[in-house]
Amino acid sequence: MRRNRIIKAVVQDKSLLVSLIKKCTTSRDLKIIQASIIRAGLAHDTILTSSLIVAAAITLRRHVAYAHCIFSWTHHPNVFMWNTLIRGYSLSNSPTTAITLYRDMHLSGISSNTFTLAFVLKALCKLSMLKEGTMLHCQILKMGFGFEVPVMNGLMKLYCICGCVEFARHLFDEIRDKDTATWSIMISGYAQNDMECEALALFKYMQVEGVHMDEFTLASVTAICGHLGALDLGRWVHSYIHLNNIKMDVVLGTSLVDMYSKCGSLNDALIVFQTMVKRDVTAWSAMIGGYAVHGYGHKALELFDSMVKANVHPNIVTFTSVLFACSHSGLLDEGCKHFNSMQLEYGFSPELEHYGCMVDLFCRSGDVPRAYEFIRTMPIKANAVLWRTLLTACKTYKYEELGECIIRDLLELEPCGGDNYVLASNVYASLGKWSSVSNLRNLMKDKQVKKGHGWSSIELDFTVHRFVMGDKSHPESDEIHHMLERIARKLKQVGHIVTTTDVLHDIDDEEKENALGLHSERLAVAYALLRLPKESPIRVVKNLRVCRDCHMALKLISSIYKRVIIVRDRVRFHHFQEGKCSCNDYW
């Protein structure tokens, strides 16, 4: 009653009424004010109607359908009302309606402006609608908005999301007065399309141009640094944040935690995490994931307990990190306990990633039959990743018959998956079945299956150097190969016996040894030994799993050269020091 009296007192003062609408926190409050407006005969007042639409579509957001009702009752909605409703739908779970409204707006004779186009492009980005985006691009040029930066930014983002990075770069180059968002969109667009080197090159150019970097740009660049393992550049970004007093919000802080973890500097990740003013579930999950991927399973579980005690509710990603930590540290009982608790205590239905962690946990503990039974009784269909995990275990623990059955099923499930053929060839090669290896290679040719090339990278002086097996394209290739020869001699002197079972060719042992000696991670380490100071850790990023022979060789190299070598392969981190590895040969 008191609220109604207040409304009646101010209903004749539009400015006060607008102020009251802006303060609404529920749709019920908004409806009470709207009823009073109607009773006062102000239902068609443009200012009040616009304020109601803004409150329902933008401020309350979840009530865009209610805003649409108000809009529908308006006799002659103006461009602001159209824009507000289009914007509301572009932010909602029904972005298609924003596009429909844009078409209706044109049919009604209302001309678009830059705000309209920016909101429609946001909806198109959500839906990845390239065809409609190119049609809108033509309309934009016809309407004379081709030089409006917000509109061009929206188009760039759409093209990047749809994989048309060259079109986006063409627009980027044509924009005369680029703002920070323009640079950020292009950098993140490169990153989204696995063009990290191009992203970093543009980032460096951004510095040369003296463009101010915002939180979004810096978060994108730190993510790229994490992916490439570019620790020095990541630290430079962190310093830039401090020197320019950029607010360390939860998104940027989490991005730094993730970057340091992926670059192998877990202590730096922990420092950032501990100094964050606000830590949400994403930040906690990133730090737990950092411990997990480095093989510190017990610390990951301790941090999870601290998170729960801090009244931060875990999400589905948190449990992926927790189960990953258990699987890579051999914590079988803990893994089973947390897998059950995510369902019974937190009400989460496990997804494929969680089932995959459990399969991996059983496989790593040597219980291949249990892993197989677990896959067979899962409530959701296993994907190729789970079957590859089981097949790898069959190879390790010599379950030959089961392994051959899985190979047949795997190739039926994904007949064009290059990873499947490589793994199957590995299994046959380990058994000495070279005719089966040859048959697989012929099958790959017939089906035109392409396998991804393995590479390893290392950062030196803010430049990422990437190597592939037997690589001779590097400017210092001759020195690198001479260094490899010296390393090979030293390895033999300390008694290293080459493990050749992973070489997928029916060739003699000497040729196999030579092939292993030219693996990409050894090229990267050789280059680091040549160029990095003795006190600096050697940090290598590899896109495939490290093979058994390279793993043993890197342990010995760390002892021979008294160096810390940190390798991030596709699965986890390996910290080599004094002839030992942090994974305890369990990877």
Side-chain angles (χ1 to χ4, degrees):
M1 292 297 293
R2 182 173 180 270
R3 179 187 296 167
N4 290 339
R5 285 198 300 271
I6 293 171
I7 292 171
K8 286 178 182 178
V10 300
V11 76
Q12 297 302 322
D13 188 334
K14 283 198 289 189
S15 61
L16 285 175
L17 202 52
V18 169
S19 177
L20 201 60
I21 291 170
K22 289 179 180 179
K23 292 178 181 178
C24 286
T25 56
T26 66
S27 61
R28 183 173 178 272
D29 292 340
L30 206 57
K31 287 174 182 177
I32 290 171
I33 295 174
Q34 186 190 7
S36 299
I37 289 171
I38 292 170
R39 284 198 296 269
L42 299 171
H44 300 299
D45 185 277
T46 303
I47 294 173
L48 294 178
T49 303
S50 297
S51 299
L52 287 170
I53 293 171
V54 170
I58 309 301
T59 309
L60 300 181
R61 188 169 293 191
R62 292 171 298 170
H63 303 287
V64 66
Y66 173 42
H68 203 156
C69 288
I70 300 170
F71 178 85
S72 300
W73 298 331
T74 307
H75 292 312
H76 301 290
N78 58 26
V79 66
F80 178 81
M81 295 177 190
W82 282 99
N83 285 351
T84 302
L85 196 59
I86 291 170
R87 180 187 175 194
Y89 275 112
S90 74
L91 296 170
S92 74
N93 294 324
S94 304
T96 308
T97 310
I99 299 162
T100 303
L101 281 167
Y102 172 69
R103 290 169 183 156
D104 293 343
M105 179 180 176
H106 271 270
L107 290 173
S108 69
I110 301 293
S111 299
S112 305
N113 58 25
T114 56
F115 294 105
T116 320
L117 298 168
F119 300 147
V120 174
L121 283 165
K122 187 183 287 289
L124 291 172
C125 285
K126 265 194 172 183
L127 298 163
S128 300
M129 297 176 76
L130 178 61
K131 182 181 176 182
E132 290 78 1
T134 53
M135 291 168 63
L136 183 62
H137 191 171
C138 292
Q139 290 180 15
I140 288 166
L141 296 177
K142 287 179 181 178
M143 289 187 286
F145 291 123
F147 294 100
E148 296 291 341
V149 176
V151 176
M152 292 296 102
N153 286 350
L155 278 170
M156 280 172 51
K157 188 173 182 180
L158 178 63
Y159 284 133
C160 287
I161 286 171
C162 296
C164 301
V165 189
E166 289 183 6
F167 287 162
R169 183 58 195 255
H170 178 71
L171 290 178
F172 175 87
D173 291 335
E174 285 195 336
I175 297 173
R176 295 172 186 171
D177 301 315
K178 300 177 182 68
D179 59 13
T180 304
T182 311
W183 291 86
S184 298
I185 290 165
M186 196 65 244
I187 289 170
S188 62
Y190 275 134
Q192 290 161 11
N193 288 276
D194 298 323
M195 301 171 72
E196 289 87 358
C197 292
E198 289 83 351
L200 290 184
L202 189 60
F203 174 65
K204 291 176 182 176
Y205 181 49
M206 186 179 183
Q207 296 169 53
V208 171
E209 292 290 299
V211 181
H212 173 73
M213 288 171 271
D214 60 9
E215 294 89 340
F216 182 79
T217 313
L218 294 166
S220 297
V221 173
T222 52
I224 295 165
C225 293
H227 182 74
L228 293 175
L231 180 61
D232 291 341
L233 184 56
R235 282 179 171 153
W236 183 92
V237 172
H238 195 177
S239 299
Y240 180 93
I241 292 166
H242 281 302
L243 292 171
N244 290 274
N245 295 316
I246 294 172
K247 182 184 177 183
M248 182 75 77
D249 60 14
V250 69
V251 174
L252 189 53
T254 302
S255 181
L256 284 169
V257 169
D258 189 57
M259 180 273 292
Y260 279 127
S261 296
K262 288 179 177 176
C263 288
S265 185
L266 206 54
N267 286 336
D268 285 323
L270 186 59
I271 290 168
V272 173
F273 176 77
Q274 290 175 336
T275 54
M276 287 176 67
V277 177
K278 182 182 178 183
R279 293 187 293 234
D280 63 3
V281 63
T282 309
W284 283 91
S285 299
M287 194 64 235
I288 291 168
Y291 277 131
V293 79
H294 282 267
Y296 298 113
H298 290 290
K299 288 186 177 181
L301 296 184
E302 287 172 8
L303 192 62
F304 176 77
D305 290 338
S306 299
M307 173 184 169
V308 173
K309 288 175 183 175
N311 294 318
V312 178
H313 196 77
N315 62 17
I316 207 81
V317 176
T318 316
F319 279 103
T320 303
S321 297
V322 167
L323 294 175
F324 186 92
C326 293
S327 70
H328 282 266
S329 298
L331 305 175
L332 181 59
D333 293 338
E334 291 87 343
C336 292
K337 183 189 80 172
H338 285 290
F339 182 76
N340 292 327
S341 75
M342 72 177 286
Q343 302 171 77
L344 300 175
E345 292 181 39
Y346 296 96
F348 291 123
S349 296
E351 297 179 354
L352 265 176
E353 291 82 358
H354 306 102
Y355 286 112
C357 288
M358 292 306 294
V359 170
D360 193 46
L361 182 55
F362 295 138
C363 287
R364 289 173 186 278
S365 66
D367 199 344
V368 177
R370 186 178 179 184
Y372 179 59
E373 185 62 23
F374 186 83
I375 289 178
R376 284 200 327 107
T377 56
M378 280 167 42
I380 53 179
K381 186 179 179 181
N383 62 4
V385 176
L386 268 68
W387 288 115
R388 283 199 293 267
T389 301
L390 187 59
L391 182 56
T392 301
C394 288
K395 172 177 174 283
T396 302
Y397 295 103
K398 310 299 181 186
Y399 283 84
E400 183 177 337
E401 187 176 338
L402 178 59
E404 294 198 31
C405 289
I406 293 170
I407 287 173
R408 288 193 294 271
D409 292 341
L410 188 57
L411 295 183
E412 283 182 15
L413 181 64
E414 272 191 0
C416 295
D419 288 348
N420 301 332
Y421 288 89
V422 172
L423 179 55
S425 296
N426 260 309
V427 173
Y428 285 133
S430 68
L431 299 171
K433 295 187 175 182
W434 298 110
S435 60
S436 296
V437 173
S438 179
N439 290 337
L440 279 176
R441 289 186 172 277
N442 291 332
L443 190 60
M444 287 178 73
K445 288 179 183 177
D446 292 340
K447 292 182 177 291
Q448 296 183 327
V449 175
K450 294 182 179 180
K451 63 174 185 175
H453 290 291
W455 55 260
S456 295
S457 66
I458 190 164
E459 183 195 27
L460 184 66
D461 296 330
F462 297 101
T463 301
V464 176
H465 300 261
R466 183 171 287 188
F467 301 90
V468 297
M469 181 177 172
D471 198 351
K472 290 190 177 180
S473 62
H474 195 277
E476 300 172 78
S477 179
D478 289 342
E479 286 186 79
I480 293 168
H481 282 265
H482 287 316
M483 187 66 193
L484 280 175
E485 291 171 7
R486 294 201 295 274
I487 290 171
R489 287 195 295 270
K490 286 181 180 291
L491 287 173
K492 283 189 177 180
Q493 288 171 7
V494 297
H496 175 51
I497 299 173
V498 178
T499 305
T500 58
T501 53
D502 286 340
V503 180
L504 306 181
H505 301 282
D506 188 11
I507 54 179
D508 61 40
D509 285 344
E510 185 178 351
E511 288 178 289
K512 289 180 180 180
E513 287 185 26
N514 291 336
L516 287 166
L518 295 175
H519 276 189
S520 62
E521 58 265 52
R522 299 203 195 186
L523 289 163
V525 168
Y527 183 60
L529 289 171
L530 285 169
R531 296 290 173 259
L532 278 179
K534 290 184 178 180
E535 65 277 4
S536 297
I538 297 171
R539 302 176 190 274
V540 178
V541 174
K542 183 175 171 61
N543 71 327
L544 302 177
R545 286 185 67 179
V546 62
C547 74
R548 283 179 292 175
D549 185 70
C550 285
H551 191 270
M552 176 56 73
L554 290 171
K555 285 199 294 184
L556 293 172
I557 291 169
S558 72
S559 176
I560 294 167
Y561 290 92
K562 309 297 181 189
R563 301 294 290 265
V564 174
I565 303 173
I566 302 169
V567 177
R568 188 186 89 199
D569 71 8
R570 188 172 64 181
V571 179
R572 59 164 296 157
F573 272 91
H574 301 265
H575 294 253
F576 299 97
Q577 189 170 10
E578 297 178 354
K580 297 178 182 178
C581 180
S582 60
C583 75
N584 294 316
D585 300 332
Y586 187 87
W587 84 100

